[in-house]
Amino acid sequence: MPDRVADGAAVLDRIAALPAGLFERCGACDRVVHRETLARRLRTCPCCGHYFRLGSAERIASLADERSFTELHRQLRSADPLEFTDRLPYTDRLAGAEEKTGLGEAAVAGTATIAGCPVVLVVLDFAFLGGSMGSVVGEKIARSAESAAERGVPLVVVSASGGARMQEGALSLVQMAKCAAAIGRLRAAGVPYVSVLTDPVYGGVAASFAALGDVIVAERGTRAGFAGPRVIEQTIGQRLPTGFQTAEFLHEHGHVDLVCARPELPAVVGALVRLLSADADPPATGGSTAPVAEQTAAELDGWAAVGAARNPGRPSVTEHLELIFDELLELHGDRWIEDDPAVVAGVGRLGDRVVVFAGHRKGRGLEENSRCNFGMPHPSGYRKVHRLYRLAERLALPVVTLIDTPGAYPGLRAEEENQSAAIAELLALGAGLRVPVISVVTGEGGSGGALALAVADKLLIQEHAIFSVISPEGAAAILFGDAERAADAARALRLRANDLLRLGVVDEVLPEHPGDARASSAVIAAAVSRHLRELTALDPADLLDRRYRRIRSHGSNAVRQTAEIEGN
């Protein structure tokens, strides 16, 4: 043991004798690592995987296509309007930061291409005064958002910041409003914005532009929040749990869409930029144009149809999505409380067309089904869809939903979180979306929990799927006083696909290929593509008018007008 200690000390002595700047010590495992090794590994410790901070130049090089970045607004520098001094004058701090980093400010902004797509790219560098946001950082963010809106290209902002710059007082504070206003205009212009969080992101940056991304991606190991742990503990004395404000914490609580390892981040950002900047309405190709309602197999008995719709061997919504879309990127979280696994949602490519998708998610087997709550969403699930619908409208992307749920979750927590309002708001939003919406019932269409995703320009249904106001068991218990009469209730409810077509509830019945998920998904893809060709050709005002008249007509065959009573 003494020999090993001596050998270790000798190694450290040799390292200490080398020229300064060749090695860095890992803050996680305390190992000494050669800087060239770190550079080759995107500054990731080869011993423990800890992420050293990336400077703005390194971050830009990792994300932007080679030699594509052109810096803008490089001439902007911070003044000292408050003539602020703490332990040092603010002017001295600025000069020291510039000398240390070679940067003029904490934000580096410019144009670039990512995955071949033009973008406006902004990167905050924590080495410059902790990446804090003063007036120049706010100005660069605002100018970049305005430039992205003018050019019609995505904005990508990589944040690493301790928050507002105290040396600029209230002028720093109001940069939050400036940046939020600029992002608001970007949204109004229908231009996508990808926000990337890297360690750390706090305060005024977290509570302004960093939280406003259409898609928010967090690098693994990132800490982010409105107030840092030290501020919380010293201000209100609250003890914080392990893992508080980590990227994984943010994902679990629905605040970010994705958490990525650093090596994966360039590919993920590239995929997002490709999808979100794609033409939302190119000429579609392929797909059958023949109506398929008459191609369905012999109808099942009502109760047998319920069994077929609930068959655990049916392709799940997630399986259909993987087979229907050529490229698929799931997004997560309601930006409020959690990510509900009972709802799957994101952006995908169907042929040459990019769409926003949403659907109910059941699992395979008891464990996964339990995790997905058997496809029964909480209010947070519907709020996630609400968020994706708004994204679709901002970016003029069509919406495709796949429906397979026994219904919305009916428990205590769902009521505390206002399940009724979550569904009602989604119904109203779906009715008024200014983009085409196509819904497909692929299994169970249970009650309001299913209808929440079924307000559409076209409602399609697979031939062995069902759509009903209530489960047969529930109807039997209420109407017959005996849940054992579920089969009788199923027949009386007329919940089969062709019953629904005759009643005018659905627009088309899609044939299935039992045992061949790929063939069944291909039928769905062809039908959706065919309807999208028609719907995307409509002016938004005409689209909304047609959708409203379609919804307005529901139940007209169930309304009987009696002779006018004298005196009324």
Side-chain angles (χ1 to χ4, degrees), residues 281 284 353 436 438 457-458 507-508 527-539 542-543 546:
D281 188 20
R353 197 183 307 277
I438 297 178
D457 298 294
K458 297 288 183 179
D507 299 288
E508 187 172 329
V528 169
S529 295
R530 172 164 43 84
H531 286 297
L532 282 178
R533 282 199 296 274
E534 173 200 353
L535 295 170
T536 52
L538 296 175
D539 178 83
D542 294 335
L543 181 78
R546 279 182 42 162

mmCIF file with all atom_site columns, all heavy atoms in Angstrom, residues 281 284 353 436 438 457-458 507-508 527-539 542-543 546:
data_model
loop_
_atom_site.group_PDB
_atom_site.id
_atom_site.type_symbol
_atom_site.label_atom_id
_atom_site.label_alt_id
_atom_site.label_comp_id
_atom_site.label_asym_id
_atom_site.label_entity_id
_atom_site.label_seq_id
_atom_site.pdbx_PDB_ins_code
_atom_site.Cartn_x
_atom_site.Cartn_y
_atom_site.Cartn_z
_atom_site.occupancy
_atom_site.B_iso_or_equiv
_atom_site.pdbx_formal_charge
_atom_site.auth_seq_id
_atom_site.auth_comp_id
_atom_site.auth_asym_id
_atom_site.auth_atom_id
_atom_site.pdbx_PDB_model_num
ATOM 1   N N   . ASP A 1 281 ? -46.943 21.711 -46.096 1.00 0.00 ? 281 ASP A N   1
ATOM 2   C CA  . ASP A 1 281 ? -47.969 21.375 -47.079 1.00 0.00 ? 281 ASP A CA  1
ATOM 3   C C   . ASP A 1 281 ? -47.362 21.103 -48.445 1.00 0.00 ? 281 ASP A C   1
ATOM 4   O O   . ASP A 1 281 ? -47.696 21.749 -49.424 1.00 0.00 ? 281 ASP A O   1
ATOM 5   C CB  . ASP A 1 281 ? -48.995 22.514 -47.169 1.00 0.00 ? 281 ASP A CB  1
ATOM 6   C CG  . ASP A 1 281 ? -50.191 22.128 -48.026 1.00 0.00 ? 281 ASP A CG  1
ATOM 7   O OD1 . ASP A 1 281 ? -50.422 20.925 -48.219 1.00 0.00 ? 281 ASP A OD1 1
ATOM 8   O OD2 . ASP A 1 281 ? -50.869 23.028 -48.505 1.00 0.00 ? 281 ASP A OD2 1
ATOM 9   N N   . ALA A 1 284 ? -48.448 15.707 -51.714 1.00 0.00 ? 284 ALA A N   1
ATOM 10  C CA  . ALA A 1 284 ? -48.365 14.363 -51.156 1.00 0.00 ? 284 ALA A CA  1
ATOM 11  C C   . ALA A 1 284 ? -48.255 13.344 -52.272 1.00 0.00 ? 284 ALA A C   1
ATOM 12  O O   . ALA A 1 284 ? -48.719 13.557 -53.389 1.00 0.00 ? 284 ALA A O   1
ATOM 13  C CB  . ALA A 1 284 ? -49.588 14.084 -50.290 1.00 0.00 ? 284 ALA A CB  1
ATOM 14  N N   . ARG A 1 353 ? -45.016 14.916 -45.683 1.00 0.00 ? 353 ARG A N   1
ATOM 15  C CA  . ARG A 1 353 ? -45.754 15.876 -44.866 1.00 0.00 ? 353 ARG A CA  1
ATOM 16  C C   . ARG A 1 353 ? -45.401 15.711 -43.395 1.00 0.00 ? 353 ARG A C   1
ATOM 17  O O   . ARG A 1 353 ? -45.351 14.594 -42.873 1.00 0.00 ? 353 ARG A O   1
ATOM 18  C CB  . ARG A 1 353 ? -47.259 15.670 -45.059 1.00 0.00 ? 353 ARG A CB  1
ATOM 19  C CG  . ARG A 1 353 ? -48.113 16.821 -44.595 1.00 0.00 ? 353 ARG A CG  1
ATOM 20  C CD  . ARG A 1 353 ? -49.587 16.490 -44.753 1.00 0.00 ? 353 ARG A CD  1
ATOM 21  N NE  . ARG A 1 353 ? -49.941 16.059 -46.083 1.00 0.00 ? 353 ARG A NE  1
ATOM 22  C CZ  . ARG A 1 353 ? -50.192 16.875 -47.097 1.00 0.00 ? 353 ARG A CZ  1
ATOM 23  N NH1 . ARG A 1 353 ? -50.118 18.184 -46.928 1.00 0.00 ? 353 ARG A NH1 1
ATOM 24  N NH2 . ARG A 1 353 ? -50.522 16.404 -48.282 1.00 0.00 ? 353 ARG A NH2 1
ATOM 25  N N   . PRO A 1 436 ? -55.827 21.347 -40.395 1.00 0.00 ? 436 PRO A N   1
ATOM 26  C CA  . PRO A 1 436 ? -56.607 20.112 -40.535 1.00 0.00 ? 436 PRO A CA  1
ATOM 27  C C   . PRO A 1 436 ? -56.381 19.158 -39.364 1.00 0.00 ? 436 PRO A C   1
ATOM 28  O O   . PRO A 1 436 ? -55.268 19.045 -38.845 1.00 0.00 ? 436 PRO A O   1
ATOM 29  C CB  . PRO A 1 436 ? -56.069 19.506 -41.840 1.00 0.00 ? 436 PRO A CB  1
ATOM 30  C CG  . PRO A 1 436 ? -55.485 20.645 -42.592 1.00 0.00 ? 436 PRO A CG  1
ATOM 31  C CD  . PRO A 1 436 ? -54.937 21.572 -41.555 1.00 0.00 ? 436 PRO A CD  1
ATOM 32  N N   . ILE A 1 438 ? -57.347 15.111 -38.299 1.00 0.00 ? 438 ILE A N   1
ATOM 33  C CA  . ILE A 1 438 ? -57.885 13.797 -38.655 1.00 0.00 ? 438 ILE A CA  1
ATOM 34  C C   . ILE A 1 438 ? -57.706 12.869 -37.465 1.00 0.00 ? 438 ILE A C   1
ATOM 35  O O   . ILE A 1 438 ? -56.610 12.763 -36.911 1.00 0.00 ? 438 ILE A O   1
ATOM 36  C CB  . ILE A 1 438 ? -57.190 13.216 -39.890 1.00 0.00 ? 438 ILE A CB  1
ATOM 37  C CG1 . ILE A 1 438 ? -57.441 14.119 -41.110 1.00 0.00 ? 438 ILE A CG1 1
ATOM 38  C CG2 . ILE A 1 438 ? -57.688 11.804 -40.175 1.00 0.00 ? 438 ILE A CG2 1
ATOM 39  C CD1 . ILE A 1 438 ? -56.748 13.652 -42.362 1.00 0.00 ? 438 ILE A CD1 1
ATOM 40  N N   . ASP A 1 457 ? -61.859 17.133 -38.471 1.00 0.00 ? 457 ASP A N   1
ATOM 41  C CA  . ASP A 1 457 ? -62.487 17.333 -39.779 1.00 0.00 ? 457 ASP A CA  1
ATOM 42  C C   . ASP A 1 457 ? -62.973 16.006 -40.342 1.00 0.00 ? 457 ASP A C   1
ATOM 43  O O   . ASP A 1 457 ? -63.979 15.951 -41.040 1.00 0.00 ? 457 ASP A O   1
ATOM 44  C CB  . ASP A 1 457 ? -61.482 17.964 -40.747 1.00 0.00 ? 457 ASP A CB  1
ATOM 45  C CG  . ASP A 1 457 ? -61.011 19.319 -40.285 1.00 0.00 ? 457 ASP A CG  1
ATOM 46  O OD1 . ASP A 1 457 ? -61.834 20.247 -40.248 1.00 0.00 ? 457 ASP A OD1 1
ATOM 47  O OD2 . ASP A 1 457 ? -59.826 19.444 -39.920 1.00 0.00 ? 457 ASP A OD2 1
ATOM 48  N N   . LYS A 1 458 ? -62.235 14.947 -40.041 1.00 0.00 ? 458 LYS A N   1
ATOM 49  C CA  . LYS A 1 458 ? -62.623 13.599 -40.455 1.00 0.00 ? 458 LYS A CA  1
ATOM 50  C C   . LYS A 1 458 ? -62.361 12.653 -39.289 1.00 0.00 ? 458 LYS A C   1
ATOM 51  O O   . LYS A 1 458 ? -61.266 12.632 -38.734 1.00 0.00 ? 458 LYS A O   1
ATOM 52  C CB  . LYS A 1 458 ? -61.808 13.130 -41.668 1.00 0.00 ? 458 LYS A CB  1
ATOM 53  C CG  . LYS A 1 458 ? -62.011 13.966 -42.926 1.00 0.00 ? 458 LYS A CG  1
ATOM 54  C CD  . LYS A 1 458 ? -63.389 13.714 -43.549 1.00 0.00 ? 458 LYS A CD  1
ATOM 55  C CE  . LYS A 1 458 ? -63.540 14.503 -44.845 1.00 0.00 ? 458 LYS A CE  1
ATOM 56  N NZ  . LYS A 1 458 ? -64.868 14.262 -45.476 1.00 0.00 ? 458 LYS A NZ  1
ATOM 57  N N   . ASP A 1 507 ? -66.812 9.104  -40.359 1.00 0.00 ? 507 ASP A N   1
ATOM 58  C CA  . ASP A 1 507 ? -66.839 9.399  -41.789 1.00 0.00 ? 507 ASP A CA  1
ATOM 59  C C   . ASP A 1 507 ? -66.388 8.236  -42.651 1.00 0.00 ? 507 ASP A C   1
ATOM 60  O O   . ASP A 1 507 ? -66.676 8.204  -43.848 1.00 0.00 ? 507 ASP A O   1
ATOM 61  C CB  . ASP A 1 507 ? -65.934 10.605 -42.079 1.00 0.00 ? 507 ASP A CB  1
ATOM 62  C CG  . ASP A 1 507 ? -66.394 11.841 -41.340 1.00 0.00 ? 507 ASP A CG  1
ATOM 63  O OD1 . ASP A 1 507 ? -67.431 12.405 -41.722 1.00 0.00 ? 507 ASP A OD1 1
ATOM 64  O OD2 . ASP A 1 507 ? -65.724 12.238 -40.368 1.00 0.00 ? 507 ASP A OD2 1
ATOM 65  N N   . GLU A 1 508 ? -65.657 7.298  -42.073 1.00 0.00 ? 508 GLU A N   1
ATOM 66  C CA  . GLU A 1 508 ? -65.121 6.210  -42.890 1.00 0.00 ? 508 GLU A CA  1
ATOM 67  C C   . GLU A 1 508 ? -64.723 5.055  -41.991 1.00 0.00 ? 508 GLU A C   1
ATOM 68  O O   . GLU A 1 508 ? -64.236 5.258  -40.871 1.00 0.00 ? 508 GLU A O   1
ATOM 69  C CB  . GLU A 1 508 ? -63.898 6.713  -43.672 1.00 0.00 ? 508 GLU A CB  1
ATOM 70  C CG  . GLU A 1 508 ? -63.354 5.734  -44.678 1.00 0.00 ? 508 GLU A CG  1
ATOM 71  C CD  . GLU A 1 508 ? -62.274 6.361  -45.548 1.00 0.00 ? 508 GLU A CD  1
ATOM 72  O OE1 . GLU A 1 508 ? -62.332 7.582  -45.811 1.00 0.00 ? 508 GLU A OE1 1
ATOM 73  O OE2 . GLU A 1 508 ? -61.340 5.630  -45.926 1.00 0.00 ? 508 GLU A OE2 1
ATOM 74  N N   . ALA A 1 527 ? -55.317 6.307  -45.810 1.00 0.00 ? 527 ALA A N   1
ATOM 75  C CA  . ALA A 1 527 ? -56.542 7.081  -45.619 1.00 0.00 ? 527 ALA A CA  1
ATOM 76  C C   . ALA A 1 527 ? -56.236 8.477  -45.082 1.00 0.00 ? 527 ALA A C   1
ATOM 77  O O   . ALA A 1 527 ? -56.804 9.476  -45.536 1.00 0.00 ? 527 ALA A O   1
ATOM 78  C CB  . ALA A 1 527 ? -57.484 6.343  -44.670 1.00 0.00 ? 527 ALA A CB  1
ATOM 79  N N   . VAL A 1 528 ? -55.343 8.555  -44.106 1.00 0.00 ? 528 VAL A N   1
ATOM 80  C CA  . VAL A 1 528 ? -54.978 9.860  -43.550 1.00 0.00 ? 528 VAL A CA  1
ATOM 81  C C   . VAL A 1 528 ? -54.342 10.735 -44.621 1.00 0.00 ? 528 VAL A C   1
ATOM 82  O O   . VAL A 1 528 ? -54.676 11.917 -44.763 1.00 0.00 ? 528 VAL A O   1
ATOM 83  C CB  . VAL A 1 528 ? -54.029 9.686  -42.343 1.00 0.00 ? 528 VAL A CB  1
ATOM 84  C CG1 . VAL A 1 528 ? -53.440 11.024 -41.926 1.00 0.00 ? 528 VAL A CG1 1
ATOM 85  C CG2 . VAL A 1 528 ? -54.771 9.044  -41.173 1.00 0.00 ? 528 VAL A CG2 1
ATOM 86  N N   . SER A 1 529 ? -53.446 10.176 -45.420 1.00 0.00 ? 529 SER A N   1
ATOM 87  C CA  . SER A 1 529 ? -52.798 10.948 -46.482 1.00 0.00 ? 529 SER A CA  1
ATOM 88  C C   . SER A 1 529 ? -53.820 11.449 -47.491 1.00 0.00 ? 529 SER A C   1
ATOM 89  O O   . SER A 1 529 ? -53.755 12.602 -47.945 1.00 0.00 ? 529 SER A O   1
ATOM 90  C CB  . SER A 1 529 ? -51.747 10.088 -47.197 1.00 0.00 ? 529 SER A CB  1
ATOM 91  O OG  . SER A 1 529 ? -50.695 9.748  -46.324 1.00 0.00 ? 529 SER A OG  1
ATOM 92  N N   . ARG A 1 530 ? -54.768 10.601 -47.831 1.00 0.00 ? 530 ARG A N   1
ATOM 93  C CA  . ARG A 1 530 ? -55.794 10.989 -48.806 1.00 0.00 ? 530 ARG A CA  1
ATOM 94  C C   . ARG A 1 530 ? -56.633 12.159 -48.292 1.00 0.00 ? 530 ARG A C   1
ATOM 95  O O   . ARG A 1 530 ? -56.876 13.132 -49.002 1.00 0.00 ? 530 ARG A O   1
ATOM 96  C CB  . ARG A 1 530 ? -56.673 9.768  -49.104 1.00 0.00 ? 530 ARG A CB  1
ATOM 97  C CG  . ARG A 1 530 ? -57.897 10.044 -49.947 1.00 0.00 ? 530 ARG A CG  1
ATOM 98  C CD  . ARG A 1 530 ? -58.466 8.747  -50.508 1.00 0.00 ? 530 ARG A CD  1
ATOM 99  N NE  . ARG A 1 530 ? -58.495 7.670  -49.535 1.00 0.00 ? 530 ARG A NE  1
ATOM 100 C CZ  . ARG A 1 530 ? -59.469 7.484  -48.651 1.00 0.00 ? 530 ARG A CZ  1
ATOM 101 N NH1 . ARG A 1 530 ? -60.481 8.346  -48.584 1.00 0.00 ? 530 ARG A NH1 1
ATOM 102 N NH2 . ARG A 1 530 ? -59.437 6.458  -47.827 1.00 0.00 ? 530 ARG A NH2 1
ATOM 103 N N   . HIS A 1 531 ? -57.046 12.085 -47.038 1.00 0.00 ? 531 HIS A N   1
ATOM 104 C CA  . HIS A 1 531 ? -57.862 13.169 -46.485 1.00 0.00 ? 531 HIS A CA  1
ATOM 105 C C   . HIS A 1 531 ? -57.042 14.444 -46.288 1.00 0.00 ? 531 HIS A C   1
ATOM 106 O O   . HIS A 1 531 ? -57.565 15.554 -46.466 1.00 0.00 ? 531 HIS A O   1
ATOM 107 C CB  . HIS A 1 531 ? -58.481 12.719 -45.162 1.00 0.00 ? 531 HIS A CB  1
ATOM 108 C CG  . HIS A 1 531 ? -59.608 11.742 -45.329 1.00 0.00 ? 531 HIS A CG  1
ATOM 109 N ND1 . HIS A 1 531 ? -60.781 12.063 -45.980 1.00 0.00 ? 531 HIS A ND1 1
ATOM 110 C CD2 . HIS A 1 531 ? -59.726 10.442 -44.948 1.00 0.00 ? 531 HIS A CD2 1
ATOM 111 C CE1 . HIS A 1 531 ? -61.586 11.001 -45.992 1.00 0.00 ? 531 HIS A CE1 1
ATOM 112 N NE2 . HIS A 1 531 ? -60.970 10.013 -45.364 1.00 0.00 ? 531 HIS A NE2 1
ATOM 113 N N   . LEU A 1 532 ? -55.782 14.292 -45.926 1.00 0.00 ? 532 LEU A N   1
ATOM 114 C CA  . LEU A 1 532 ? -54.949 15.485 -45.759 1.00 0.00 ? 532 LEU A CA  1
ATOM 115 C C   . LEU A 1 532 ? -54.776 16.234 -47.075 1.00 0.00 ? 532 LEU A C   1
ATOM 116 O O   . LEU A 1 532 ? -54.692 17.462 -47.088 1.00 0.00 ? 532 LEU A O   1
ATOM 117 C CB  . LEU A 1 532 ? -53.584 15.112 -45.179 1.00 0.00 ? 532 LEU A CB  1
ATOM 118 C CG  . LEU A 1 532 ? -53.536 14.829 -43.682 1.00 0.00 ? 532 LEU A CG  1
ATOM 119 C CD1 . LEU A 1 532 ? -52.132 14.430 -43.253 1.00 0.00 ? 532 LEU A CD1 1
ATOM 120 C CD2 . LEU A 1 532 ? -54.009 16.032 -42.876 1.00 0.00 ? 532 LEU A CD2 1
ATOM 121 N N   . ARG A 1 533 ? -54.673 15.501 -48.181 1.00 0.00 ? 533 ARG A N   1
ATOM 122 C CA  . ARG A 1 533 ? -54.557 16.179 -49.479 1.00 0.00 ? 533 ARG A CA  1
ATOM 123 C C   . ARG A 1 533 ? -55.742 17.097 -49.714 1.00 0.00 ? 533 ARG A C   1
ATOM 124 O O   . ARG A 1 533 ? -55.601 18.214 -50.209 1.00 0.00 ? 533 ARG A O   1
ATOM 125 C CB  . ARG A 1 533 ? -54.454 15.149 -50.611 1.00 0.00 ? 533 ARG A CB  1
ATOM 126 C CG  . ARG A 1 533 ? -53.091 14.533 -50.756 1.00 0.00 ? 533 ARG A CG  1
ATOM 127 C CD  . ARG A 1 533 ? -52.921 13.892 -52.129 1.00 0.00 ? 533 ARG A CD  1
ATOM 128 N NE  . ARG A 1 533 ? -53.833 12.776 -52.340 1.00 0.00 ? 533 ARG A NE  1
ATOM 129 C CZ  . ARG A 1 533 ? -53.587 11.527 -51.963 1.00 0.00 ? 533 ARG A CZ  1
ATOM 130 N NH1 . ARG A 1 533 ? -52.462 11.244 -51.325 1.00 0.00 ? 533 ARG A NH1 1
ATOM 131 N NH2 . ARG A 1 533 ? -54.452 10.570 -52.201 1.00 0.00 ? 533 ARG A NH2 1
ATOM 132 N N   . GLU A 1 534 ? -56.927 16.613 -49.365 1.00 0.00 ? 534 GLU A N   1
ATOM 133 C CA  . GLU A 1 534 ? -58.131 17.428 -49.557 1.00 0.00 ? 534 GLU A CA  1
ATOM 134 C C   . GLU A 1 534 ? -58.173 18.593 -48.573 1.00 0.00 ? 534 GLU A C   1
ATOM 135 O O   . GLU A 1 534 ? -58.431 19.741 -48.954 1.00 0.00 ? 534 GLU A O   1
ATOM 136 C CB  . GLU A 1 534 ? -59.379 16.557 -49.370 1.00 0.00 ? 534 GLU A CB  1
ATOM 137 C CG  . GLU A 1 534 ? -60.674 17.349 -49.378 1.00 0.00 ? 534 GLU A CG  1
ATOM 138 C CD  . GLU A 1 534 ? -61.828 16.611 -48.722 1.00 0.00 ? 534 GLU A CD  1
ATOM 139 O OE1 . GLU A 1 534 ? -61.674 15.420 -48.377 1.00 0.00 ? 534 GLU A OE1 1
ATOM 140 O OE2 . GLU A 1 534 ? -62.892 17.255 -48.533 1.00 0.00 ? 534 GLU A OE2 1
ATOM 141 N N   . LEU A 1 535 ? -57.909 18.307 -47.309 1.00 0.00 ? 535 LEU A N   1
ATOM 142 C CA  . LEU A 1 535 ? -58.111 19.316 -46.267 1.00 0.00 ? 535 LEU A CA  1
ATOM 143 C C   . LEU A 1 535 ? -57.072 20.426 -46.305 1.00 0.00 ? 535 LEU A C   1
ATOM 144 O O   . LEU A 1 535 ? -57.381 21.589 -46.017 1.00 0.00 ? 535 LEU A O   1
ATOM 145 C CB  . LEU A 1 535 ? -58.101 18.644 -44.888 1.00 0.00 ? 535 LEU A CB  1
ATOM 146 C CG  . LEU A 1 535 ? -59.254 17.661 -44.629 1.00 0.00 ? 535 LEU A CG  1
ATOM 147 C CD1 . LEU A 1 535 ? -59.009 16.877 -43.352 1.00 0.00 ? 535 LEU A CD1 1
ATOM 148 C CD2 . LEU A 1 535 ? -60.589 18.398 -44.558 1.00 0.00 ? 535 LEU A CD2 1
ATOM 149 N N   . THR A 1 536 ? -55.829 20.083 -46.627 1.00 0.00 ? 536 THR A N   1
ATOM 150 C CA  . THR A 1 536 ? -54.793 21.120 -46.644 1.00 0.00 ? 536 THR A CA  1
ATOM 151 C C   . THR A 1 536 ? -54.963 22.072 -47.818 1.00 0.00 ? 536 THR A C   1
ATOM 152 O O   . THR A 1 536 ? -54.341 23.145 -47.832 1.00 0.00 ? 536 THR A O   1
ATOM 153 C CB  . THR A 1 536 ? -53.385 20.494 -46.696 1.00 0.00 ? 536 THR A CB  1
ATOM 154 O OG1 . THR A 1 536 ? -53.323 19.562 -47.772 1.00 0.00 ? 536 THR A OG1 1
ATOM 155 C CG2 . THR A 1 536 ? -53.065 19.788 -45.392 1.00 0.00 ? 536 THR A CG2 1
ATOM 156 N N   . ALA A 1 537 ? -55.778 21.720 -48.786 1.00 0.00 ? 537 ALA A N   1
ATOM 157 C CA  . ALA A 1 537 ? -56.036 22.622 -49.907 1.00 0.00 ? 537 ALA A CA  1
ATOM 158 C C   . ALA A 1 537 ? -57.050 23.703 -49.548 1.00 0.00 ? 537 ALA A C   1
ATOM 159 O O   . ALA A 1 537 ? -57.224 24.671 -50.300 1.00 0.00 ? 537 ALA A O   1
ATOM 160 C CB  . ALA A 1 537 ? -56.532 21.823 -51.116 1.00 0.00 ? 537 ALA A CB  1
ATOM 161 N N   . LEU A 1 538 ? -57.721 23.563 -48.405 1.00 0.00 ? 538 LEU A N   1
ATOM 162 C CA  . LEU A 1 538 ? -58.762 24.511 -48.021 1.00 0.00 ? 538 LEU A CA  1
ATOM 163 C C   . LEU A 1 538 ? -58.170 25.728 -47.326 1.00 0.00 ? 538 LEU A C   1
ATOM 164 O O   . LEU A 1 538 ? -57.184 25.643 -46.593 1.00 0.00 ? 538 LEU A O   1
ATOM 165 C CB  . LEU A 1 538 ? -59.764 23.838 -47.067 1.00 0.00 ? 538 LEU A CB  1
ATOM 166 C CG  . LEU A 1 538 ? -60.573 22.663 -47.629 1.00 0.00 ? 538 LEU A CG  1
ATOM 167 C CD1 . LEU A 1 538 ? -61.427 22.052 -46.516 1.00 0.00 ? 538 LEU A CD1 1
ATOM 168 C CD2 . LEU A 1 538 ? -61.445 23.108 -48.790 1.00 0.00 ? 538 LEU A CD2 1
ATOM 169 N N   . ASP A 1 539 ? -58.813 26.869 -47.539 1.00 0.00 ? 539 ASP A N   1
ATOM 170 C CA  . ASP A 1 539 ? -58.489 28.064 -46.766 1.00 0.00 ? 539 ASP A CA  1
ATOM 171 C C   . ASP A 1 539 ? -58.884 27.818 -45.310 1.00 0.00 ? 539 ASP A C   1
ATOM 172 O O   . ASP A 1 539 ? -59.890 27.144 -45.036 1.00 0.00 ? 539 ASP A O   1
ATOM 173 C CB  . ASP A 1 539 ? -59.285 29.247 -47.336 1.00 0.00 ? 539 ASP A CB  1
ATOM 174 C CG  . ASP A 1 539 ? -59.054 30.518 -46.553 1.00 0.00 ? 539 ASP A CG  1
ATOM 175 O OD1 . ASP A 1 539 ? -58.061 31.195 -46.806 1.00 0.00 ? 539 ASP A OD1 1
ATOM 176 O OD2 . ASP A 1 539 ? -59.899 30.817 -45.672 1.00 0.00 ? 539 ASP A OD2 1
ATOM 177 N N   . ASP A 1 542 ? -62.491 28.411 -44.494 1.00 0.00 ? 542 ASP A N   1
ATOM 178 C CA  . ASP A 1 542 ? -63.378 27.382 -45.035 1.00 0.00 ? 542 ASP A CA  1
ATOM 179 C C   . ASP A 1 542 ? -63.254 26.086 -44.239 1.00 0.00 ? 542 ASP A C   1
ATOM 180 O O   . ASP A 1 542 ? -64.255 25.397 -43.998 1.00 0.00 ? 542 ASP A O   1
ATOM 181 C CB  . ASP A 1 542 ? -63.043 27.118 -46.508 1.00 0.00 ? 542 ASP A CB  1
ATOM 182 C CG  . ASP A 1 542 ? -63.343 28.312 -47.395 1.00 0.00 ? 542 ASP A CG  1
ATOM 183 O OD1 . ASP A 1 542 ? -64.202 29.133 -47.008 1.00 0.00 ? 542 ASP A OD1 1
ATOM 184 O OD2 . ASP A 1 542 ? -62.708 28.437 -48.464 1.00 0.00 ? 542 ASP A OD2 1
ATOM 185 N N   . LEU A 1 543 ? -62.027 25.763 -43.843 1.00 0.00 ? 543 LEU A N   1
ATOM 186 C CA  . LEU A 1 543 ? -61.802 24.563 -43.040 1.00 0.00 ? 543 LEU A CA  1
ATOM 187 C C   . LEU A 1 543 ? -62.583 24.636 -41.735 1.00 0.00 ? 543 LEU A C   1
ATOM 188 O O   . LEU A 1 543 ? -63.286 23.693 -41.355 1.00 0.00 ? 543 LEU A O   1
ATOM 189 C CB  . LEU A 1 543 ? -60.303 24.422 -42.754 1.00 0.00 ? 543 LEU A CB  1
ATOM 190 C CG  . LEU A 1 543 ? -59.868 23.200 -41.940 1.00 0.00 ? 543 LEU A CG  1
ATOM 191 C CD1 . LEU A 1 543 ? -59.856 21.963 -42.816 1.00 0.00 ? 543 LEU A CD1 1
ATOM 192 C CD2 . LEU A 1 543 ? -58.480 23.427 -41.340 1.00 0.00 ? 543 LEU A CD2 1
ATOM 193 N N   . ARG A 1 546 ? -66.394 24.321 -42.359 1.00 0.00 ? 546 ARG A N   1
ATOM 194 C CA  . ARG A 1 546 ? -66.789 22.940 -42.639 1.00 0.00 ? 546 ARG A CA  1
ATOM 195 C C   . ARG A 1 546 ? -66.768 22.102 -41.375 1.00 0.00 ? 546 ARG A C   1
ATOM 196 O O   . ARG A 1 546 ? -67.655 21.276 -41.138 1.00 0.00 ? 546 ARG A O   1
ATOM 197 C CB  . ARG A 1 546 ? -65.856 22.325 -43.694 1.00 0.00 ? 546 ARG A CB  1
ATOM 198 C CG  . ARG A 1 546 ? -66.215 22.704 -45.111 1.00 0.00 ? 546 ARG A CG  1
ATOM 199 C CD  . ARG A 1 546 ? -65.315 22.065 -46.142 1.00 0.00 ? 546 ARG A CD  1
ATOM 200 N NE  . ARG A 1 546 ? -64.995 20.670 -45.895 1.00 0.00 ? 546 ARG A NE  1
ATOM 201 C CZ  . ARG A 1 546 ? -64.518 19.849 -46.845 1.00 0.00 ? 546 ARG A CZ  1
ATOM 202 N NH1 . ARG A 1 546 ? -64.331 20.288 -48.081 1.00 0.00 ? 546 ARG A NH1 1
ATOM 203 N NH2 . ARG A 1 546 ? -64.228 18.606 -46.557 1.00 0.00 ? 546 ARG A NH2 1
#
